[in-house]
Amino acid sequence: MRSPRRTPTLLATGVLACAVLFGPVARAAGVSPDDASVEQKKEAMAHFTAGKAAAESKGWEKAESELRASLEVVNSPNARLVLARALRDSGKLDAAWAEYAATAEGATHLAAADPRYQQTADAAKSEQGELEPKLAFVTVTIAHAPPDATLKVGGRTVPAAAWAAPIAVPQGALDVVLVGADGKELARKTVPAAVGEKTPVDLDAQPAPPATPPPPSADDIPPSDKPVEEKPATSSSRRNLRVPAYAVAGVGGASLVVFGVFGAMGKSSYNDLHAACPGGVCPPSKSSEISSGKTQELVANVALGVGIAGVAAGATLFVLSLGGGSSSSTQAASASLVVSPTFIGLRGAL
C-alpha cells in the first residue's frame, strides 16, 4: 500500500505534467468559458448534453466524441471532468489520468475569478488520486538527447517538457523510443509496466563506442605471416658430425698405411735397380722391375695425399662436433671424400 504522504506529491507532479502533455491537444480549439459567446455556449452545451447522456447509458464511444466536440468549442473544466469520468469508467485509465490533470489545471486557473470552479478542481484531484493504484507509470531518463528529439511511450508522443515527470501508461510490455528529427531511432527499450509501480527507463542517444579488439596472439597469426626464427644448433645436431668425422679420419688413416706399405716397396725396388744399373743404365731385362717401381711410387704418393686430407677433415669435423664453432656454421657443416682421375680429396661446406 502506498504511503499517504506520497500521493499529493505524485498527484501534483502528474497534474502539471499531464496538463503540459495533453492540455494543448485536448483544448486545441476551445475558448475559455469567460470568453465564450452566447452561440458558442449554446453549441457546446448541446454536445455536452448528448455526451453526458451517452455516458450514462454506457455509450462510451459516443460520449467521448460528443464531449470532445463540446471542448473544442468551449474549454469548460466541468465538461472535461465528465469526459475524464467516462474514460475512467470505460477502462481507459491512462487517458482518464491525463484528463483529470487537465481538468484540475483549468479549474484552478478559473477559480481565481469564479470560486465555484474550485469544487471541480478538488473533485478532479481526488478522483485522479483514486486512479493511481490502478495505473502503471514509467520515469524516463534520457542522456545526450538532441534538442529536436521526440520521445514516444507506448506509441504516444511525449513533449520534452513532460519527460522528467512520471508518465501514466497501460500495464504490460511497453516500447519507449527516442527518435531523431530525421525519423531515425536513437534509442529504444522495451520494459514491463506493472500496475502500482513506477518503472525507470534509461535511454542514451549516443551509441557506445565500439570495443577495441585485443592485439592478436601468436596463435592468431597465419603460418605464412609468422617470422621464421633460426633455431640454434643443438648438442644432438653437433654430435651428428662425429660419424662422418670418424669415417673421414678412418679413410685418411688407412691411406697413410697404404702409403707406408707402397712407399717401402718402392724404396726397396729403387735400391735393387740402383745396384743393378751402374751409371743409371739398366739392361732390358730390368724393364718390368722399373715399371713396377713407378707404380709403387704413384700409389704411395696418392695414398699420402688422401691420408693427409682425410685426417685433416676428420679432425675438423670432430672439433665442430664439440661445439667449438658458431651455431650457424655447425648446423651447416658437411664433408665427403671425392676420388676422380684428376682429383683426390674432400669436398664439402663449413
Side-chain angles (χ1 to χ4, degrees), residues 179-208:
V179 183
D182 56 357
K184 182 180 179 181
E185 285 190 6
L186 302 177
R188 169 189 285 267
K189 279 191 178 180
T190 300
V191 297
V195 171
E197 296 182 5
K198 290 188 290 184
T199 302
V201 182
D202 295 326
L203 297 179
D204 193 344
Q206 181 175 313

Side-chain angles (χ1 to χ4, degrees), residues 114-173:
D114 189 344
R116 291 178 300 175
Y117 282 109
Q118 188 60 49
Q119 295 180 357
T120 303
D122 294 341
K125 293 176 183 178
S126 175
E127 293 177 21
Q128 186 186 42
E130 294 173 359
L131 284 184
E132 182 184 343
K134 303 176 183 179
L135 283 170
F137 295 87
V138 294
T139 55
V140 184
T141 302
I142 303 176
H144 305 106
D148 54 357
T150 300
L151 177 65
K152 294 184 178 181
V153 179
R156 187 179 69 199
T157 300
V158 181
W163 290 0
I167 303 171
V169 296
Q171 66 174 337

Side-chain angles (χ1 to χ4, degrees), residues 137 164 184 193 205 207 222 296 301 334:
F137 295 87
K184 182 180 179 181
Q296 293 168 354
N301 291 335
S334 63

Side-chain angles (χ1 to χ4, degrees), residues 61-346:
E61 184 176 351
K62 182 178 181 181
E64 182 177 354
S65 175
E66 290 291 345
L67 290 170
R68 291 195 183 280
S70 176
L71 290 169
E72 289 178 359
V73 180
V74 178
N75 183 24
S76 168
N78 293 326
R80 193 171 297 280
L81 179 61
V82 175
L83 173 61
R85 290 170 176 171
L87 292 171
R88 176 199 61 189
D89 295 340
S90 64
K92 297 180 180 180
L93 301 187
D94 55 329
W97 173 275
E99 293 299 341
Y100 275 125
T103 300
E105 189 266 344
T108 300
H109 176 73
L110 292 174
D114 189 344
R116 291 178 300 175
Y117 282 109
Q118 188 60 49
Q119 295 180 357
T120 303
D122 294 341
K125 293 176 183 178
S126 175
E127 293 177 21
Q128 186 186 42
E130 294 173 359
L131 284 184
E132 182 184 343
K134 303 176 183 179
L135 283 170
F137 295 87
V138 294
T139 55
V140 184
T141 302
I142 303 176
H144 305 106
D148 54 357
T150 300
L151 177 65
K152 294 184 178 181
V153 179
R156 187 179 69 199
T157 300
V158 181
W163 290 0
I167 303 171
V169 296
Q171 66 174 337
L174 189 74
D175 290 330
V176 182
V177 185
L178 188 68
V179 183
D182 56 357
K184 182 180 179 181
E185 285 190 6
L186 302 177
R188 169 189 285 267
K189 279 191 178 180
T190 300
V191 297
V195 171
E197 296 182 5
K198 290 188 290 184
T199 302
V201 182
D202 295 326
L203 297 179
D204 193 344
Q206 181 175 313
T212 303
S217 63
D219 295 336
D220 298 330
I221 302 176
S224 59
D225 296 338
K226 292 183 179 179
V228 178
E229 298 182 359
E230 294 186 1
K231 296 183 179 180
T234 62
S235 59
S236 175
S237 65
R238 289 194 294 268
R239 286 195 298 269
N240 290 338
L241 294 175
R242 295 182 184 179
V243 174
Y246 296 149
V248 174
V251 172
S255 298
L256 291 177
V257 173
V258 172
F259 162 74
V261 173
F262 278 87
M265 292 173 61
K267 184 176 182 181
S268 176
S269 297
Y270 174 79
N271 291 334
D272 291 342
L273 289 172
H274 184 71
C277 302
V281 179
C282 294
S285 60
K286 295 294 183 178
S287 59
S288 61
E289 294 180 15
I290 295 173
S291 176
S292 178
K294 291 180 177 180
T295 300
Q296 293 168 354
E297 183 181 8
L298 176 61
V299 172
N301 291 335
V302 171
L304 177 61
V306 173
I308 294 174
V311 171
T316 301
L317 293 176
F318 183 77
V319 171
L320 293 177
S321 72
L322 298 177
S326 64
S327 298
S328 59
S329 63
T330 302
Q331 186 177 11
S334 63
S336 60
L337 178 63
V338 178
V339 178
S340 68
T342 60
F343 175 79
I344 297 176
L346 292 173

